[in-house]
Amino acid sequence: MVNDKQFPMTAAGKQKLEDELDYLKTVKRKEVVERIKVARSFGDLSENSEYDSAKEDQAFVEGRISTLESMIRNAVSIDETEAGNDVVRLGKTVTFVEVPDGEEEAYTIVGSAEADPLEGRISNDSPIAKSMLGHTVGERVKVLTPGGEMEVKIVSIN
């Protein structure tokens, strides 16, 4: 269950979740309640698609609020300034190349709560991050992906 899991995250990642939680509680929740109130005024609830839709949105919002509260409560802070850039760890940006002739790629390794590959942030649970954690610049690391095995060389850690 979500309540038992710890969520490693940066201070910025935690703030983003707190901002989303605040928005859901102060704005979105009120909007959904108003939609339900308006939909009820249409009469027979058994054939009222607006009411059904609003209730589904309410369930989603309340579920997301619960999830966010749990994630924030169980957040474990990632110290991005932790000594040195010699070892791949959470909060570090790793630049690597696929061996033998891949292009250079860089990702920041973060907890699953703030992962966003399109923004260059990958989860510590991803195959690439799992494979590189604990390794150093210059090392070659085998990565098991759903598409097969690949080898990468760590170019830098920041």
Side-chain angles (χ1 to χ4, degrees):
M1 189 170 169
V2 170
N3 295 338
D4 300 327
K5 183 177 178 183
Q6 291 189 329
F7 296 93
M9 63 183 75
T10 61
K14 185 176 180 184
Q15 184 61 53
K16 186 176 177 182
L17 294 181
E18 289 171 343
D19 291 347
E20 181 184 355
L21 178 61
D22 182 61
Y23 168 76
L24 289 174
K25 284 182 161 184
T26 60
V27 177
K28 193 67 175 172
R29 185 184 262 167
K30 289 176 183 174
E31 288 174 358
V32 171
V33 167
E34 185 60 30
R35 282 184 52 214
I36 290 170
K37 194 185 302 181
V38 169
R40 278 190 177 142
S41 71
F42 296 151
D44 185 10
L45 297 182
S46 65
E47 295 181 20
N48 188 329
S49 62
E50 288 86 1
Y51 178 78
D52 292 340
S53 174
K55 289 299 280 184
E56 286 174 14
D57 285 351
Q58 182 183 41
F60 175 80
V61 167
E62 294 304 323
R64 183 67 179 156
I65 287 172
S66 177
T67 298
L68 289 171
E69 287 174 336
S70 177
M71 291 170 80
I72 292 166
R73 185 174 47 255
N74 295 307
V76 176
S77 182
I78 296 172
D79 184 2
E80 297 169 279
T81 62
E82 197 170 292
N85 291 327
D86 53 339
V87 177
V88 177
R89 60 176 62 106
L90 277 164
K92 296 296 180 182
T93 299
V94 183
T95 303
F96 60 92
V97 294
E98 188 174 345
V99 177
D101 56 2
E103 292 184 29
E104 210 168 81
E105 296 181 56
Y107 291 100
T108 302
I109 300 175
V110 296
S112 60
E114 57 183 311
D116 185 351
L118 298 177
E119 294 292 323
R121 303 169 73 78
I122 60 172
S123 167
N124 61 314
D125 293 327
S126 71
I128 291 175
K130 276 184 180 179
S131 298
M132 288 194 290
L133 286 169
H135 290 277
T136 60
V137 172
E139 281 191 71
R140 290 179 177 223
V141 179
K142 291 198 183 307
V143 179
L144 296 174
T145 68
E149 185 178 273
M150 68 181 208
E151 187 176 8
V152 299
K153 180 179 178 184
I154 300 171
V155 175
S156 69
I157 304 166
N158 297 312

